[in-house]
Amino acid sequence: MSANLDDEEDDYMSDAILTKCTETRPGLVSANIARIHKVEKKIKESNVKNIVKPKSVVEHEKREEGLQAAIKSDNKGFALLAKMGYKPGMGIGKQGEGRKEPVGIYVKTGRGGLGAEADRKRRKEQWTTMRASRLIKRQKMESNLKRDFQQRMSSKFTDGKAERDMIKSQKVCEQLDSEMGTTIPDEWYFWPKSMLPKKKKKNETETGLSFEVVEEEEDDDEDEEEEEEDFLTNQEKLEALTAYLRTIHLYCIWCGTKFEDEDDLLTNCPGDTADAHDE
């Protein structure tokens, strides 16, 4: 019975056990893996062959081929040039000022007709020029709009400031004129409208057998006078009123002072404008 058991069990010292073991030595791969690597290598080589080279690379390669073919010593053209004193690397011509390299080789890769590439390049340059021109016009327009806006805002600010100074000057002028006994301003805009005197006219109306004199306020002349002065800006009105206050009353609205005489005014007052007092 023991003999039968020995026959059934494998001999661990025989080659039968080794054939069942997998190859695990470093640096060696199985046949399947080696076949996969071989297929991948072929695919990579095929991909490299099928890669489309850039146009610049193709031109460079063709140019190098042309140059090598042109300067071979066994070339008849080179032999003729050599007899006339030509040496590789020098320019052609009597003084050697001509072309040093052969005419460039143009490699046409597209399917367009002759001149299509040049026309496409021309249209692209034209579009670039038009785009640059539009950009310059847009920048110029934006600059003009910005300048106009700044001028409008500056004019609005100046006009508002002049209007405030005008109101202040009108009140002061009316007060000083009243102290001098003046009842009518030299110009209608020298006083506030609420302080202007209202003219009256007499109209006779028949009441029975007698006539009654009725006084009515006369605003037509005043309206006409205001319409005549409406073309003046607030700044122009302020300048006229300022000159009147400084000449007649020796008063400066920005100093807020009535000076003793003209010399005192010229000495102690910075000027006849608001900007002169801001400095």
Side-chain angles (χ1 to χ4, degrees), residues 45-56:
E45 292 176 354
S46 177
N47 292 337
V48 170
K49 292 180 180 180
N50 294 332
I51 290 176
V52 178
K53 296 181 180 180
K55 185 177 179 180
S56 59

Side-chain angles (χ1 to χ4, degrees), residues 16 18 48 61 64 148 151 161 163 247-248 264-265:
L18 297 177
V48 170
E61 293 178 353
E64 292 297 328
D148 294 342
Q151 290 178 352
K161 186 177 180 180
E163 183 178 3
T247 304
I248 303 301
D264 186 21
L265 174 65

Side-chain angles (χ1 to χ4, degrees), residues 60-188:
H60 179 71
E61 293 178 353
K62 295 293 183 181
R63 188 181 302 112
E64 292 297 328
E65 291 177 3
L67 290 174
Q68 291 177 3
I71 60 176
K72 286 183 178 180
S73 59
D74 58 350
N75 185 275
K76 292 183 179 180
F78 178 80
L80 293 174
L81 290 174
K83 289 180 180 180
M84 292 183 288
Y86 173 78
K87 295 181 180 180
M90 66 180 296
I92 59 176
K94 187 175 181 179
Q95 303 296 332
E97 72 280 1
R99 181 186 294 274
K100 295 183 179 180
E101 297 179 358
V103 178
I105 300 174
Y106 175 73
V107 180
K108 187 174 179 299
T109 57
R111 301 183 62 183
L114 296 175
E117 186 68 23
D119 183 67
R120 188 181 299 108
K121 184 178 180 181
R122 179 187 59 80
R123 286 188 280 108
K124 185 176 181 180
E125 291 177 353
Q126 183 179 4
W127 165 252
T128 303
T129 304
M130 292 175 58
R131 186 176 182 182
S133 177
R134 287 201 303 269
L135 180 61
I136 293 174
K137 290 182 179 179
R138 187 183 299 112
Q139 291 176 350
K140 186 176 180 180
M141 182 180 65
E142 291 177 354
S143 177
N144 293 336
L145 291 175
K146 183 179 179 180
R147 184 177 63 255
D148 294 342
F149 174 76
Q150 291 175 346
Q151 290 178 352
R152 289 196 304 270
M153 295 303 295
S154 177
S155 177
K156 184 177 180 181
F157 175 78
T158 302
D159 190 68
K161 186 177 180 180
E163 183 178 3
R164 292 190 295 271
D165 291 340
M166 182 70 182
I167 294 173
K168 180 180 178 181
S169 299
Q170 286 175 337
K171 294 179 180 179
V172 173
C173 184
E174 187 277 331
Q175 181 180 356
L176 295 176
D177 285 346
S178 298
E179 292 177 357
M180 291 179 59
T182 303
T183 58
I184 299 176
D186 285 6
E187 300 289 346
W188 68 268

